[in-house]
Amino acid sequence: MTRLWNEPAAFADEMIDGFVAANGRYVRRIPGGVARATTSPAGQVAVVVGGGSGHYPAFGGLVGPGLAHAAAMGNLFASPSTQQVYGAAKAADNGGGVFFTYGNYAGDVLNFDAAEQRLRDEGIDARTVTVTDDISSAPVAQRRRRRGIAGDLTVFRAAAAAAERGDDLDGVARVAALANERTRSFGVAFTGCTLPGAEDPLFTVAEGRMAVGLGIHGEQGIDETDIPTADGLAEMLVAALLDPAEVPEGVASVSGARVVPVLNGLGSLKYEEMFVVYRRIAQLLEGAGIEIVDPHVGEYCTSFDMAGTSLTLYWLDDQLAALWEHPVDTPAYRRGAVTATERVSASAIEAEAEATDEIPDADDSSRATAQTVRLAVTAIAETIDAHVDELGRLDAVAGDGDHGIGMQRGSHAARAAADAAADAGAGAATTLQRAADAWADRAGGTSGALWGVMLAAIARTLGDTGTPTAADVAAGVSAASRAVTDYGKAELGDKTLVDALVPFATTLAHGVDGGASLSAAWRSAAVAADRAATATADLLPRKGRARTHGEHAVGTPDPGAVSLALITAAVADVLASASEKGTPS
């Protein structure tokens, strides 16, 4: 269990601050996470990694000469926001383009892709290779859907070494894709992990039992079995990874192949235990005729305090073998001798600081509507506070249990931003846009990204002049629905918030088109959203982390759909009150 924290919501930020304070030789604090404290050659491709916190030494611990140029660091088990990824990329950019690589999780993909597009819009070239090494998360035929676990290390190292030797952006991407194709991992867990402030672990395993095929965000395994001996576990891990279907294309024969084995601890397993397991792993690999290269036993990608381990096999060819020898010097990972470089100057750091945006002009009508927006955002935050534990419980059934916490962080940040904007005289559009940006930035994860998209779409229809009509609001909600499906790629029936959002948007539009007031149409739409959210209990998830453990989710409604329904009901009360008082809604 986690014993030391101040405010759970501040844990990730305080952890990063402490990490930087302890490792100033290597890293500096940036808006999105951390970047190298030393300079890099002009024109060199910038390798930017990242993901949620709780995985140390991934991701900040791998920033430094020979490895990543920067890491975007989200909240615990939540992807960094688009703003954080963008901030990390801007801090790392050397003029040679930006290369993103990270584990293949829905929230990370959403936010990194959005940041990549933003860079491209500014004329900065960018590429991405997601890590898909976990064999338990999808069959071989669907390798692109697999998630990334400890195999991050091999892909990150290959990409960074290629960048350091002077490869261009396309060359770095090709090397990273090859490294990913030649990396396979498989893991087990004996206990779940407990996040700061939580009373219970995200999942439990009965005494004497072991979860098989776990993820690194507290997800349950795909199977469960009795805990074997150390030798028995080694045999299970090796057998899974040497299955002929899992041997990468291009490996002509297992016998004679060169492999880097990485036995990774997930947070609480003792090194001595892992050494006992690795003893047998080495015997088995050698018995198969494999040449073992630079074996790794330790913690490389953890899951907070989870007791478990994973085995990664990295199948080398001549190119990857040469890149593997490139020296690395980071806070948590060192190989060889790295030539010292200059530190980033104070003036350069100051130039990176973002200027505060001025509040756009607004008229009195829009400022009055902004007060209703503020009340709505406040009601959202209060509603999430009232249901945070239940939303976390729903998410823990087949996810990682952080939906309630993430929604709480996002809604509280949105409320603070809306209050600040309204107090500064902002109009309705600016007030809601500031709330959207703050939500996406602080919540992280898939839900944070999607709520930022939704609120921003609605904001664009409100304007900062005049009073928006019911049709304007309905058009904004419809635009939000389209944006979410375009951005997140989920469809009706996938068991996501889309299953509640689409009926909500459709019902609202029909009500307004039929002549109903915004308050009345919104109330009817909220009822439709609630009904649709409840119905998701019968669905099998086809998107997101829950997809891997879909059968566990049948019988439980989707937490994203439930939180959306709760929010629409809360906003309905605000609109009803505004209508009764005759204030703009």
Side-chain angles (χ1 to χ4, degrees):
M1 62 179 292
T2 309
R3 298 171 178 84
L4 298 174
W5 69 85
N6 295 311
E7 288 295 327
F11 185 91
D13 283 335
E14 292 180 347
M15 177 275 295
I16 297 171
D17 289 342
F19 166 67
V20 172
N23 293 283
R25 167 187 168 188
Y26 296 98
V27 296
R28 58 192 170 91
R29 192 72 153 97
I30 58 173
V34 298
R36 288 186 190 179
T38 53
T39 59
S40 301
Q44 185 177 92
V45 173
V47 176
V48 177
V49 303
S53 297
H55 304 302
Y56 190 84
F59 296 92
L62 303 179
V63 172
L67 234 166
H69 293 77
M73 301 171 69
N75 282 301
L76 290 172
F77 292 179
S79 74
S81 69
T82 299
Q83 290 93 323
Q84 288 175 303
V85 177
Y86 173 79
K90 291 288 285 185
D93 181 29
N94 302 306
V98 176
F99 178 72
F100 292 122
T101 180
Y102 51 89
N104 185 37
Y105 295 89
D108 294 293
V109 172
L110 288 174
N111 286 297
F112 275 86
D113 280 358
E116 180 175 335
Q117 186 58 54
R118 185 172 173 183
L119 292 174
R120 289 177 181 277
D121 290 344
E122 295 179 3
I124 299 174
D125 203 1
R127 301 283 189 281
T128 295
V129 170
T130 56
V131 182
T132 57
D133 59 306
D134 178 24
I135 69 170
S136 68
S137 55
V140 175
Q142 300 176 21
R143 278 206 62 229
R144 294 292 174 265
R145 299 178 64 184
R146 288 179 171 178
R147 58 195 174 192
I149 51 175
D152 284 354
L153 178 67
T154 64
V155 180
F156 294 178
R157 278 199 66 181
E164 294 271 355
R165 75 179 179 186
D167 288 15
D168 63 13
L169 189 56
D170 287 332
V172 171
R174 281 193 298 270
V175 165
L178 175 62
N180 184 56
E181 290 294 331
R182 284 176 165 258
T183 301
R184 302 286 192 278
S185 301
F186 187 61
V188 300
F190 312 106
T191 67
C193 52
T194 307
L195 300 184
E199 295 181 359
D200 301 305
L202 294 179
F203 74 90
T204 58
V205 184
E207 187 71 24
R209 300 283 285 175
M210 175 178 74
V212 178
L214 69 140
I216 57 169
H217 298 92
E219 305 99 324
Q220 299 181 49
I222 60 172
D223 198 4
E224 191 176 296
T225 185
D226 289 339
I227 296 177
T229 63
D231 283 1
L233 176 59
E235 290 158 8
M236 173 189 292
L237 296 173
V238 171
L241 295 177
L242 293 189
D243 183 312
E246 294 298 345
V247 176
E249 293 183 15
V251 176
S253 172
V254 169
S255 180
R258 290 169 291 173
V259 169
V260 176
V262 180
L263 187 62
N264 173 64
L266 283 155
S268 293
L269 200 65
K270 297 296 294 180
Y271 275 54
E272 289 85 348
E273 294 176 273
M274 288 192 286
F275 287 135
V276 174
V277 175
Y278 182 73
R279 159 193 154 274
R280 182 58 177 154
I281 288 172
Q283 293 171 354
L284 293 166
L285 294 179
E286 290 169 351
I290 289 172
E291 178 186 344
I292 295 175
V293 178
D294 191 21
H296 284 42
V297 179
E299 292 182 342
Y300 304 100
C301 186
T302 60
S303 184
F304 217 68
D305 64 336
M306 182 186 289
T309 185
S310 64
L311 176 63
T312 299
L313 296 184
Y314 181 37
W315 302 76
L316 300 174
D317 63 6
D318 289 344
Q319 177 182 202
L320 296 178
L323 291 168
W324 189 255
E325 296 303 317
H326 192 84
V328 176
D329 188 24
T330 74
Y333 185 81
R334 301 178 185 97
R335 283 291 191 276
V338 172
T339 304
T341 55
E342 295 182 0
R343 294 182 63 83
V344 177
S345 67
S347 59
I349 294 174
E350 184 177 343
E352 290 174 357
E354 296 181 0
T356 302
D357 293 334
E358 294 184 1
I359 297 292
D361 291 335
D363 63 17
D364 290 341
S365 296
S366 188
R367 291 193 188 101
T369 302
Q371 297 304 319
T372 302
V373 170
R374 168 194 276 190
L375 291 173
V377 175
T378 297
I380 290 172
E382 292 173 347
T383 296
I384 295 302
D385 284 346
H387 296 88
V388 63
D389 291 338
E390 175 64 8
L391 293 174
R393 185 194 67 77
L394 293 175
D395 191 37
V397 172
D400 55 16
D402 70 343
H403 182 69
I405 295 173
M407 291 289 288
Q408 191 172 53
R409 282 194 300 257
S411 61
H412 279 233
R415 177 171 61 184
D419 286 344
D423 287 343
T430 297
T431 299
L432 189 55
Q433 182 63 59
R434 295 293 174 91
D437 291 342
W439 190 315
D441 190 36
R442 293 301 300 161
T446 305
S447 66
L450 296 182
W451 274 97
V453 166
M454 284 189 284
L455 296 182
I458 297 171
R460 286 191 287 271
T461 67
L462 299 183
D464 280 331
T465 57
T467 301
T469 65
D472 292 332
V473 176
V477 172
S478 294
S481 180
R482 291 191 299 273
V484 166
T485 54
D486 290 344
Y487 192 49
K489 310 303 181 186
E491 301 175 350
L492 283 172
D494 282 346
K495 195 163 187 165
T496 69
L497 67 79
V498 168
D499 291 301
L501 176 59
V502 170
F504 174 76
T506 301
T507 304
L508 178 63
H510 286 168
V512 170
D513 289 345
S517 67
L518 176 61
S519 175
W522 190 286
R523 178 73 70 185
S524 297
V527 171
D530 180 67
R531 187 182 305 119
T534 301
T536 61
D538 298 328
L539 298 176
L540 188 71
R542 299 192 301 232
K543 290 284 184 180
R545 292 177 191 160
R547 171 186 56 79
T548 308
H549 309 281
E551 67 280 0
H552 296 295
V554 176
T556 301
D558 176 69
V562 170
S563 58
L564 185 138
L566 290 169
I567 286 170
T568 59
V571 174
D573 292 338
V574 173
L575 295 179
S577 177
S579 179
E580 291 173 3
K581 296 176 182 177
T583 56
S585 59

